[in-house]
Amino acid sequence: MLYQNALFDDLASLALAYIPYGGIDFGEAVAIASAVGTGDASAFFNAWSSAADRRAQQAQQAESAGHGESARALLFKAACFYGISYRPLFGTPVDPRLTAAFDKQMDTFGKAVAMLDSPAASLHVPYESTTLPAYAFAAQDGVDHRDPLLIFTSGYDTTVTDEYFASIVAATRRGYDCFVYDGPGQGAPLIRDGIAMRPDWENVVTPVIDCVKAIPEYSERPLVLLGWSFGGYLALRAAVHESRLAACVADPGLSGAMSVFGRATGGASADQLQRKIDNDPGLHWRFVQRGFWVQGKATLSEFLTEMQRYDLGDSAKQIQCPTLLTMAENDPLAAGAPQLYDSLTCPKTLLHFAAEDGAGGHCEMGNRSLLNGAVFDWLDDTI
C-alpha cells in the first residue's frame, strides 16, 4: 500500500494500471502519495492536482522549445493526474474543485490526443436532447490493421481518459481503430450536465452506433462493444438489444448490480446498512458519494430500489454475437461470471485471471497488460 488510508490507496491504485501506457511512472505515484501523507481528501486532491499542474506547465515549456513528443507525454500524464485528483471529492453538491480539475483533465487530454501521429477526432454523439462526448482513435502506424472497430464503454467512476490508458493505447498498438464515449452518469454528462446513469443502456449504445455508422470509414466495419467494471453489465445489456454488434466483451462478466451490493452489505438490513455506511469511509464513498451521485438519488432506499433495475435476468440468452466474459480471481464483481456464462446461448468464452499473475484484482488492474493481450488475442481469433 502506498497510502495509510485504504480508500485513498484504492482510488489512487487506478493510475498504477496506466504505467505501461503513459499515464504515470511509479516514482511519481510514490512521490504523490508521500505528499498526501496522513492528510484528508483535500490533501489528496492538492497533491495530485499540483503534480498535474506541474506536468501541464512542463508540457507547455517543452512545446515552446520545439519538443512536441515530450510535450504530448507530459500532457497525457497531467490528464491522468487530474482524473485521479478529484475522486475523493465525489458527491453532490458537486465540489467546484472537482469541476475545475475535470475541465483541466479534458483540456490537457484533448491537447495530447490532438498531438498523436494520427490525431484523435473529437466527436459529439446525438443523445436525446443533448450530445455525448466521444473520441475516435486510429490504429498506430506500422502495425497490421484490424478490420473491427472497438467501441469502449466505461463503468461507474471512470471517463474517456481512463479508457484511453486502460485499453485504447494497447488496442491501437495491436492495429485496432477505437471509439470511446462518456454516457449518462459518466464523465462530462454527469459532472457538467448532472445526467444520471440509466439501466437500459441499449438506449445509449444505439445512438452511439448510429453515430459510428454515419462516419464513412466506419460504416461497413464490424463493431465490437467492450465494457469494463460496471460497464461489463452495461455492454451486455446493450448487446441483448443491439443486433449490429459483431462481438461483445464484458470485463468482468456482470449480470446485475444487486448481487454485488448484496455481497458488500453482507445481508444487512436497511438500518444496519445505513449504520455501516455512516461508520465506514469506504462504504460512504461507494454508496453515498459515488452511488447516490451517479444514480441521481438522495437516500439509501431510493438508491437500492434503483439498483434493482440493473439486472439482465433471463435476457442474457438473447445475446447473439460472440461474447467474452472475464473473471479475475479476487474481483467481487466477477463472482457471478460462471453462472452468467452458463446462461449465454451465443458463442462464448470465459477467461480467468489469477492473483499469482498480479491480475486477480478488479478488472485485472494490477496487470492490465495481461488482460489487454488476452482480449485482443480473442478478438483476432473471433473476428
PDB file of all heavy atoms in Angstrom, residues 214-231:
ATOM      1  N   ALA A 214     -22.625   6.515 -39.320  1.00  0.00           N
ATOM      2  CA  ALA A 214     -22.708   7.688 -40.180  1.00  0.00           C
ATOM      3  C   ALA A 214     -21.333   8.194 -40.607  1.00  0.00           C
ATOM      4  O   ALA A 214     -21.241   9.090 -41.462  1.00  0.00           O
ATOM      5  CB  ALA A 214     -23.475   8.807 -39.475  1.00  0.00           C
ATOM      6  N   ILE A 215     -20.276   7.634 -40.041  1.00  0.00           N
ATOM      7  CA  ILE A 215     -18.910   8.007 -40.413  1.00  0.00           C
ATOM      8  C   ILE A 215     -18.474   7.082 -41.544  1.00  0.00           C
ATOM      9  O   ILE A 215     -18.404   5.856 -41.353  1.00  0.00           O
ATOM     10  CB  ILE A 215     -17.961   7.884 -39.212  1.00  0.00           C
ATOM     11  CG1 ILE A 215     -18.436   8.805 -38.074  1.00  0.00           C
ATOM     12  CG2 ILE A 215     -16.532   8.215 -39.612  1.00  0.00           C
ATOM     13  CD1 ILE A 215     -17.673   8.628 -36.777  1.00  0.00           C
ATOM     14  N   PRO A 216     -18.213   7.607 -42.742  1.00  0.00           N
ATOM     15  CA  PRO A 216     -17.974   6.743 -43.911  1.00  0.00           C
ATOM     16  C   PRO A 216     -16.934   5.657 -43.686  1.00  0.00           C
ATOM     17  O   PRO A 216     -17.139   4.502 -44.101  1.00  0.00           O
ATOM     18  CB  PRO A 216     -17.544   7.747 -44.989  1.00  0.00           C
ATOM     19  CG  PRO A 216     -18.243   9.013 -44.609  1.00  0.00           C
ATOM     20  CD  PRO A 216     -18.224   9.036 -43.103  1.00  0.00           C
ATOM     21  N   GLU A 217     -15.837   5.970 -43.038  1.00  0.00           N
ATOM     22  CA  GLU A 217     -14.772   4.978 -42.891  1.00  0.00           C
ATOM     23  C   GLU A 217     -15.146   3.850 -41.926  1.00  0.00           C
ATOM     24  O   GLU A 217     -14.485   2.805 -41.888  1.00  0.00           O
ATOM     25  CB  GLU A 217     -13.480   5.640 -42.433  1.00  0.00           C
ATOM     26  CG  GLU A 217     -13.558   6.288 -41.065  1.00  0.00           C
ATOM     27  CD  GLU A 217     -12.275   7.021 -40.714  1.00  0.00           C
ATOM     28  OE1 GLU A 217     -11.254   6.354 -40.481  1.00  0.00           O
ATOM     29  OE2 GLU A 217     -12.306   8.267 -40.706  1.00  0.00           O
ATOM     30  N   TYR A 218     -16.207   4.053 -41.133  1.00  0.00           N
ATOM     31  CA  TYR A 218     -16.645   3.035 -40.184  1.00  0.00           C
ATOM     32  C   TYR A 218     -17.931   2.336 -40.606  1.00  0.00           C
ATOM     33  O   TYR A 218     -18.317   1.341 -39.985  1.00  0.00           O
ATOM     34  CB  TYR A 218     -16.886   3.654 -38.801  1.00  0.00           C
ATOM     35  CG  TYR A 218     -15.696   4.295 -38.155  1.00  0.00           C
ATOM     36  CD1 TYR A 218     -15.859   5.360 -37.277  1.00  0.00           C
ATOM     37  CD2 TYR A 218     -14.407   3.831 -38.390  1.00  0.00           C
ATOM     38  CE1 TYR A 218     -14.766   5.957 -36.655  1.00  0.00           C
ATOM     39  CE2 TYR A 218     -13.311   4.420 -37.780  1.00  0.00           C
ATOM     40  CZ  TYR A 218     -13.501   5.487 -36.919  1.00  0.00           C
ATOM     41  OH  TYR A 218     -12.420   6.069 -36.312  1.00  0.00           O
ATOM     42  N   SER A 219     -18.595   2.823 -41.621  1.00  0.00           N
ATOM     43  CA  SER A 219     -19.972   2.406 -41.900  1.00  0.00           C
ATOM     44  C   SER A 219     -20.117   0.916 -42.162  1.00  0.00           C
ATOM     45  O   SER A 219     -21.151   0.322 -41.840  1.00  0.00           O
ATOM     46  CB  SER A 219     -20.535   3.201 -43.083  1.00  0.00           C
ATOM     47  OG  SER A 219     -19.760   2.977 -44.247  1.00  0.00           O
ATOM     48  N   GLU A 220     -19.102   0.282 -42.742  1.00  0.00           N
ATOM     49  CA  GLU A 220     -19.190  -1.145 -43.072  1.00  0.00           C
ATOM     50  C   GLU A 220     -18.311  -2.015 -42.186  1.00  0.00           C
ATOM     51  O   GLU A 220     -18.158  -3.203 -42.453  1.00  0.00           O
ATOM     52  CB  GLU A 220     -18.818  -1.356 -44.547  1.00  0.00           C
ATOM     53  CG  GLU A 220     -19.695  -0.593 -45.533  1.00  0.00           C
ATOM     54  CD  GLU A 220     -21.161  -0.963 -45.422  1.00  0.00           C
ATOM     55  OE1 GLU A 220     -21.449  -2.160 -45.192  1.00  0.00           O
ATOM     56  OE2 GLU A 220     -22.022  -0.075 -45.545  1.00  0.00           O
ATOM     57  N   ARG A 221     -17.768  -1.445 -41.136  1.00  0.00           N
ATOM     58  CA  ARG A 221     -16.833  -2.191 -40.293  1.00  0.00           C
ATOM     59  C   ARG A 221     -17.574  -3.042 -39.266  1.00  0.00           C
ATOM     60  O   ARG A 221     -18.618  -2.627 -38.734  1.00  0.00           O
ATOM     61  CB  ARG A 221     -15.915  -1.204 -39.556  1.00  0.00           C
ATOM     62  CG  ARG A 221     -15.128  -0.260 -40.479  1.00  0.00           C
ATOM     63  CD  ARG A 221     -13.845  -0.870 -40.924  1.00  0.00           C
ATOM     64  NE  ARG A 221     -12.925  -1.025 -39.812  1.00  0.00           N
ATOM     65  CZ  ARG A 221     -12.123  -0.031 -39.366  1.00  0.00           C
ATOM     66  NH1 ARG A 221     -12.157   1.166 -39.930  1.00  0.00           N
ATOM     67  NH2 ARG A 221     -11.298  -0.258 -38.369  1.00  0.00           N
ATOM     68  N   PRO A 222     -17.070  -4.228 -38.923  1.00  0.00           N
ATOM     69  CA  PRO A 222     -17.621  -4.971 -37.783  1.00  0.00           C
ATOM     70  C   PRO A 222     -17.428  -4.164 -36.500  1.00  0.00           C
ATOM     71  O   PRO A 222     -16.371  -3.536 -36.314  1.00  0.00           O
ATOM     72  CB  PRO A 222     -16.793  -6.261 -37.754  1.00  0.00           C
ATOM     73  CG  PRO A 222     -16.115  -6.337 -39.080  1.00  0.00           C
ATOM     74  CD  PRO A 222     -15.942  -4.939 -39.557  1.00  0.00           C
ATOM     75  N   LEU A 223     -18.415  -4.180 -35.629  1.00  0.00           N
ATOM     76  CA  LEU A 223     -18.373  -3.380 -34.410  1.00  0.00           C
ATOM     77  C   LEU A 223     -18.297  -4.285 -33.185  1.00  0.00           C
ATOM     78  O   LEU A 223     -19.079  -5.231 -33.061  1.00  0.00           O
ATOM     79  CB  LEU A 223     -19.613  -2.488 -34.311  1.00  0.00           C
ATOM     80  CG  LEU A 223     -19.875  -1.548 -35.494  1.00  0.00           C
ATOM     81  CD1 LEU A 223     -21.151  -0.761 -35.269  1.00  0.00           C
ATOM     82  CD2 LEU A 223     -18.699  -0.611 -35.723  1.00  0.00           C
ATOM     83  N   VAL A 224     -17.369  -3.970 -32.298  1.00  0.00           N
ATOM     84  CA  VAL A 224     -17.197  -4.725 -31.058  1.00  0.00           C
ATOM     85  C   VAL A 224     -17.434  -3.775 -29.895  1.00  0.00           C
ATOM     86  O   VAL A 224     -16.822  -2.707 -29.823  1.00  0.00           O
ATOM     87  CB  VAL A 224     -15.793  -5.333 -30.951  1.00  0.00           C
ATOM     88  CG1 VAL A 224     -15.637  -6.090 -29.627  1.00  0.00           C
ATOM     89  CG2 VAL A 224     -15.512  -6.245 -32.135  1.00  0.00           C
ATOM     90  N   LEU A 225     -18.311  -4.157 -28.983  1.00  0.00           N
ATOM     91  CA  LEU A 225     -18.600  -3.352 -27.800  1.00  0.00           C
ATOM     92  C   LEU A 225     -17.871  -3.950 -26.609  1.00  0.00           C
ATOM     93  O   LEU A 225     -18.028  -5.136 -26.303  1.00  0.00           O
ATOM     94  CB  LEU A 225     -20.103  -3.325 -27.535  1.00  0.00           C
ATOM     95  CG  LEU A 225     -20.574  -2.450 -26.369  1.00  0.00           C
ATOM     96  CD1 LEU A 225     -20.261  -0.983 -26.619  1.00  0.00           C
ATOM     97  CD2 LEU A 225     -22.076  -2.641 -26.127  1.00  0.00           C
ATOM     98  N   LEU A 226     -17.078  -3.129 -25.940  1.00  0.00           N
ATOM     99  CA  LEU A 226     -16.311  -3.573 -24.781  1.00  0.00           C
ATOM    100  C   LEU A 226     -16.689  -2.725 -23.577  1.00  0.00           C
ATOM    101  O   LEU A 226     -16.716  -1.491 -23.648  1.00  0.00           O
ATOM    102  CB  LEU A 226     -14.803  -3.453 -25.022  1.00  0.00           C
ATOM    103  CG  LEU A 226     -14.228  -4.175 -26.256  1.00  0.00           C
ATOM    104  CD1 LEU A 226     -14.173  -3.243 -27.447  1.00  0.00           C
ATOM    105  CD2 LEU A 226     -12.828  -4.723 -25.960  1.00  0.00           C
ATOM    106  N   GLY A 227     -16.990  -3.369 -22.454  1.00  0.00           N
ATOM    107  CA  GLY A 227     -17.300  -2.662 -21.218  1.00  0.00           C
ATOM    108  C   GLY A 227     -16.415  -3.150 -20.091  1.00  0.00           C
ATOM    109  O   GLY A 227     -16.168  -4.352 -19.969  1.00  0.00           O
ATOM    110  N   TRP A 228     -15.927  -2.225 -19.265  1.00  0.00           N
ATOM    111  CA  TRP A 228     -15.107  -2.646 -18.127  1.00  0.00           C
ATOM    112  C   TRP A 228     -15.731  -2.131 -16.840  1.00  0.00           C
ATOM    113  O   TRP A 228     -16.511  -1.178 -16.835  1.00  0.00           O
ATOM    114  CB  TRP A 228     -13.652  -2.191 -18.269  1.00  0.00           C
ATOM    115  CG  TRP A 228     -13.384  -0.723 -18.089  1.00  0.00           C
ATOM    116  CD1 TRP A 228     -14.180   0.310 -18.492  1.00  0.00           C
ATOM    117  CD2 TRP A 228     -12.239  -0.144 -17.474  1.00  0.00           C
ATOM    118  NE1 TRP A 228     -13.576   1.500 -18.168  1.00  0.00           N
ATOM    119  CE2 TRP A 228     -12.391   1.270 -17.541  1.00  0.00           C
ATOM    120  CE3 TRP A 228     -11.083  -0.657 -16.884  1.00  0.00           C
ATOM    121  CZ2 TRP A 228     -11.446   2.151 -17.035  1.00  0.00           C
ATOM    122  CZ3 TRP A 228     -10.139   0.234 -16.374  1.00  0.00           C
ATOM    123  CH2 TRP A 228     -10.316   1.612 -16.458  1.00  0.00           C
ATOM    124  N   SER A 229     -15.417  -2.820 -15.736  1.00  0.00           N
ATOM    125  CA  SER A 229     -16.010  -2.549 -14.436  1.00  0.00           C
ATOM    126  C   SER A 229     -17.534  -2.654 -14.547  1.00  0.00           C
ATOM    127  O   SER A 229     -18.031  -3.614 -15.133  1.00  0.00           O
ATOM    128  CB  SER A 229     -15.546  -1.185 -13.919  1.00  0.00           C
ATOM    129  OG  SER A 229     -15.880  -1.027 -12.555  1.00  0.00           O
ATOM    130  N   PHE A 230     -18.283  -1.680 -14.048  1.00  0.00           N
ATOM    131  CA  PHE A 230     -19.737  -1.767 -14.173  1.00  0.00           C
ATOM    132  C   PHE A 230     -20.166  -1.708 -15.640  1.00  0.00           C
ATOM    133  O   PHE A 230     -21.274  -2.113 -15.985  1.00  0.00           O
ATOM    134  CB  PHE A 230     -20.400  -0.641 -13.379  1.00  0.00           C
ATOM    135  CG  PHE A 230     -21.859  -0.872 -13.112  1.00  0.00           C
ATOM    136  CD1 PHE A 230     -22.282  -1.937 -12.337  1.00  0.00           C
ATOM    137  CD2 PHE A 230     -22.810  -0.031 -13.650  1.00  0.00           C
ATOM    138  CE1 PHE A 230     -23.626  -2.159 -12.093  1.00  0.00           C
ATOM    139  CE2 PHE A 230     -24.162  -0.234 -13.404  1.00  0.00           C
ATOM    140  CZ  PHE A 230     -24.569  -1.305 -12.624  1.00  0.00           C
ATOM    141  N   GLY A 231     -19.278  -1.228 -16.493  1.00  0.00           N
ATOM    142  CA  GLY A 231     -19.541  -1.265 -17.926  1.00  0.00           C
ATOM    143  C   GLY A 231     -19.679  -2.672 -18.466  1.00  0.00           C
ATOM    144  O   GLY A 231     -20.203  -2.861 -19.569  1.00  0.00           O
TER     145      GLY A 231
END
